[in-house]
Amino acid sequence: MMKDAMHSNESVVAVRHDDTGKRRSRAPQYCSVCTARIWFEPIEMVEPEGVPEPRLSWVLCRACHQLLQNEMTRSPVRSPLRLRIAMGIVAAERWPHAYSTRVREYINDRRMILFIAIGLIVAMVLHLILIVMVAGLR
């Protein structure tokens, strides 16, 4: 006996893959959960009809989407809020700022110091090139 793919008590989730050849905007896409940059195939999730307003949507990377699918299959909830609940559980585990630690703050500080140092070195090299060009004119 075959089961129907759509039961009357299950919610439907709209998933859109951004598979267009050219992107409309050049702005980088970031995962709504883990905030990582999405290089290939961002997955857009939209809440189904019947959820309380506002209807939310998220852009997910493959890893977060896989975890969301796993959470959705584990969930006993069959209401339209199923996606929102599963997204909250995944976000609680994967969001980088959910649990601030000293190590994370230390790493962020080191990145900022490295960024400033590289910026200063590039500025010094550009100034040196400018000085050599001006001296070469005379």
Side-chain angles (χ1 to χ4, degrees):
M1 182 172 168
M2 293 238 354
K3 291 184 177 181
D4 291 328
M6 301 278 288
H7 296 286
S8 60
N9 61 350
E10 287 190 13
S11 61
V12 177
V13 178
V15 177
R16 288 184 277 189
H17 291 277
D18 189 13
D19 57 355
T20 58
K22 295 180 182 176
R23 290 180 50 191
R24 291 184 189 143
S25 67
R26 292 308 233 176
Q29 295 229 336
Y30 294 93
C31 180
S32 299
V33 176
C34 66
T35 67
R37 186 170 184 160
I38 303 173
W39 293 99
F40 303 107
E41 299 179 19
I43 302 166
E44 187 174 335
M45 302 290 293
V46 180
E47 285 187 321
E49 296 289 330
V51 296
E53 290 296 327
R55 257 179 91 194
L56 303 174
S57 65
W58 301 273
V59 176
L60 300 176
C61 62
R62 286 182 187 239
C64 291
H65 183 254
Q66 184 63 40
L67 287 173
L68 180 68
Q69 284 181 335
N70 292 343
E71 193 61 41
M72 294 272 291
T73 56
R74 283 184 353 149
S75 174
V77 177
R78 296 291 176 216
S79 75
L81 289 174
R82 179 180 180 195
L83 176 63
R84 194 178 291 183
I85 293 167
M87 184 63 71
I89 293 170
V90 171
E93 295 171 357
R94 301 238 338 150
W95 191 49
H97 301 293
Y99 305 104
S100 183
T101 62
R102 290 187 152 203
V103 173
R104 184 171 289 133
E105 291 172 5
Y106 175 77
I107 290 171
N108 288 339
D109 290 345
R110 297 301 265 179
R111 281 188 194 150
M112 185 58 75
I113 291 170
L114 185 64
F115 177 74
I116 291 170
I118 290 172
L120 288 172
I121 291 170
V122 168
M124 286 190 307
V125 168
L126 289 176
H127 279 96
L128 178 64
I129 291 170
L130 182 65
I131 291 171
V132 168
M133 288 175 57
V134 168
L137 291 176
R138 293 183 183 188

